[in-house]
Amino acid sequence: MPIRVAIVSPEQEVWSGDADMVVARTTEGDLGVLPGHVPLLGVLVPGGTVRVKTGGREISAQVDGGFISVTHQGVSILAETATLS
């Protein structure tokens, strides 16, 4: 069962969709999120990369600070700036 993911910056929604896994670099280290993950809030490192794995492909976004929020409804990446790689 996939998880709903949204990557947003103040200017726009950069990407959203269903994913099998999300990997983000936080101030505590790399965080991997699979369906059913416990809720949490993390701080993204400046200049980090968020990788979204969906089906057989991987989507990467360069983020410059912000937060990752994991809830039972999905994963939100709230970045100061974000661009797809």
Side-chain angles (χ1 to χ4, degrees):
M1 169 158 68
I3 50 177
R4 188 77 182 149
V5 179
I7 302 172
V8 297
S9 70
E11 294 83 28
Q12 66 180 345
E13 180 177 78
V14 176
W15 186 88
S16 69
D18 292 330
D20 301 315
M21 181 179 188
V22 178
V23 179
R25 179 154 294 169
T26 70
T27 55
E28 300 297 319
D30 285 344
L31 172 68
V33 179
L34 295 169
H37 198 286
V38 297
L40 64 80
L41 183 65
V43 178
L44 300 171
V45 297
T49 301
V50 173
R51 296 180 322 217
V52 179
K53 297 179 182 184
T54 177
R57 65 186 189 132
E58 183 174 292
I59 297 153
S60 293
Q62 298 298 316
V63 297
D64 193 21
F67 300 92
I68 179 172
S69 171
V70 179
T71 67
H72 294 294
Q73 288 77 35
V75 177
S76 297
I77 305 291
L78 311 166
E80 293 177 28
T81 61
T83 55
L84 291 180
S85 302

